[in-house]
Amino acid sequence: MRKYLNITKVTIRGRLYYRARLNFPANDKNVRPRPKDFYALSAREADAKRSQYRERDGWQQKPLDSKITVAELLRDHFIPYEEARARQGDLSATRLEHRRSRLRRYVLEAEWAEDLADTRLERLSIASVEEFFHKLTKRASSAETYNLVRCDLILAFKMAKRHLPRHRTAYFEDVPQLRVVRRAKRVFDVALILGKIWDPRLPLKSRLPVAFEFVMNCRPSEMFALRWADVDMRNHSVKLHAAMVWNKKEKPEDSSYRIREHGKGGEKSDRTLPMPAALTAMLRAVQKDQRSVGPASEFVFCRENGKPYDKDTFDAYWKQIKRDLALPDGPTFYSLKTLGNSWARSQGISGHAQARKMGHTTSRMSDTAYRELLDPELVDAVEIYGTNAAQPRKKAGKTR
């Protein structure tokens, strides 16, 4: 058996993985960059990922120097490192684009941020960082954006921690996160949705998208890219491994939608999920209906010309769905994911099971972002006090 160098066995969430470590050479000041790890189910696969990164997709780390500016740290080191992480699937393409856009808008290309951007690392002071965030409070689009920029700079300073005059955490001790006030999402009444999606008197093509999103809780972009080849009718399962994303070009008129392999979280978000028999029957009926009018499209959710829906073309279809099913205005189609997750959690389904359905690595999003208090839960929370009312005590009998 071949022996691979720098590969060890690690256990993550109770499962055994092989970790291949890639070490980088030291720079002129004998400072060695932090290593990069690659995980796989076998030593051979982990070594192949490491070799691919080194030979083709690897980011050739430039030596960091305390004389470079904050702008050079972000532009020449941090952003390329994040791009390499995205190529390897360690960072989603959406998160990379948002992070890169924030740094360019609020640091690299902002005139009011030049004092911080042009400062050398060796001269970086706590006062300059605090002054930057004081200005950012007036220019950030929201408190959430402010907090995300703060997180971006914390990660960038961590990369240059050996070249800063103070410990990296000292620059953010007096730069607190802003409180984000989240409004309650508008969701449909769960009894209404349950009554509509299984009603055979209503149009099937209008019921299927609502039922699929409510039951499977996937991202709409994954639903738009779903092919019939990914649906296993016999075993009542569906494989989610692609997404319909916006392909941004240099010229706006050349931009368009495209199907990208893997979802928002890269390979980690690929999953095969079971389906209830009722949902499988709906899919089988839609496929049969497509074949009755001609060659069936390869996509499950498609327009009359056979092309898949995207975010823009689905908006008009969503209006038709609401008319066919008599759904009220207010909640969006995407709110069905929140409603489905909240309904499942209220019925005792674990957060980890819901996280697996939604393509998340932890149950945090299932517990917070996609969790709303439903009316039946509030009713139960009140009625429970009546069902467990204290019984009057019986008088003790006389003893002889």
Side-chain angles (χ1 to χ4, degrees), residues 68-238:
I68 66 173
T69 64
V70 173
E72 292 172 334
L73 169 67
L74 299 176
R75 183 175 55 249
D76 300 334
H77 296 270
F78 181 65
I79 293 180
Y81 176 72
E82 296 295 284
E83 291 172 346
R85 288 182 61 206
R87 288 195 296 270
Q88 293 298 321
D90 296 334
L91 183 70
S92 70
T94 303
R95 184 166 295 182
L96 168 66
E97 182 60 31
H98 290 172
R99 177 166 290 167
R100 185 164 48 194
S101 176
R102 284 193 302 268
L103 291 175
R104 288 175 177 172
R105 179 179 179 183
Y106 296 108
V107 183
L108 298 177
E109 299 177 359
E111 295 182 359
W112 55 270
E114 290 180 352
D115 292 341
L116 176 67
D118 295 339
T119 302
R120 293 183 178 180
L121 296 182
E122 61 184 1
R123 296 182 180 179
L124 187 64
S125 64
I126 296 177
S128 62
V129 176
E130 292 178 354
E131 179 63 21
F132 165 78
F133 281 100
H134 177 70
K135 296 178 181 178
L136 183 62
T137 55
K138 304 176 182 179
R139 292 170 171 82
S141 57
S142 63
E144 187 174 8
T145 300
Y146 173 97
N147 293 336
L148 290 172
V149 174
R150 179 179 181 273
C151 179
D152 296 338
L153 290 181
I154 288 176
L155 293 175
F157 284 9
K158 183 179 181 180
M159 175 179 287
K161 59 183 179 181
R162 296 185 179 92
H163 304 280
L164 297 175
R166 294 178 178 271
H167 193 274
R168 58 185 178 84
T169 59
Y171 296 96
F172 302 93
E173 287 181 354
D174 295 327
V175 183
Q177 288 190 351
L178 298 184
R179 181 172 178 267
V180 179
V181 180
R182 298 188 182 274
R183 298 180 179 178
K185 295 181 180 179
R186 302 184 64 180
V187 296
F188 294 103
D189 179 66
V190 66
L192 173 68
I193 296 299
L194 288 172
K196 297 290 186 180
I197 60 178
W198 309 126
D199 189 350
R201 296 170 298 178
L202 298 176
L204 177 61
K205 287 189 176 181
S206 296
R207 290 190 289 125
L208 178 60
V210 176
F212 194 89
E213 184 64 30
F214 176 73
V215 174
M216 305 308 298
N217 311 146
C218 64
R219 302 177 181 92
S221 60
E222 295 174 325
M223 194 180 80
F224 299 153
L226 185 66
R227 294 179 170 90
W228 287 114
D230 303 323
V231 180
D232 189 346
M233 302 285 189
R234 178 175 300 178
N235 296 317
H236 302 286
S237 65
V238 60

Side-chain angles (χ1 to χ4, degrees), residues 185 213 218-220 318 332-339 370:
K185 295 181 180 179
E213 184 64 30
C218 64
R219 302 177 181 92
W318 172 237
T332 63
F333 178 78
Y334 195 43
S335 70
L336 291 168
K337 179 178 181 178
T338 300
L339 182 66
Y370 296 102

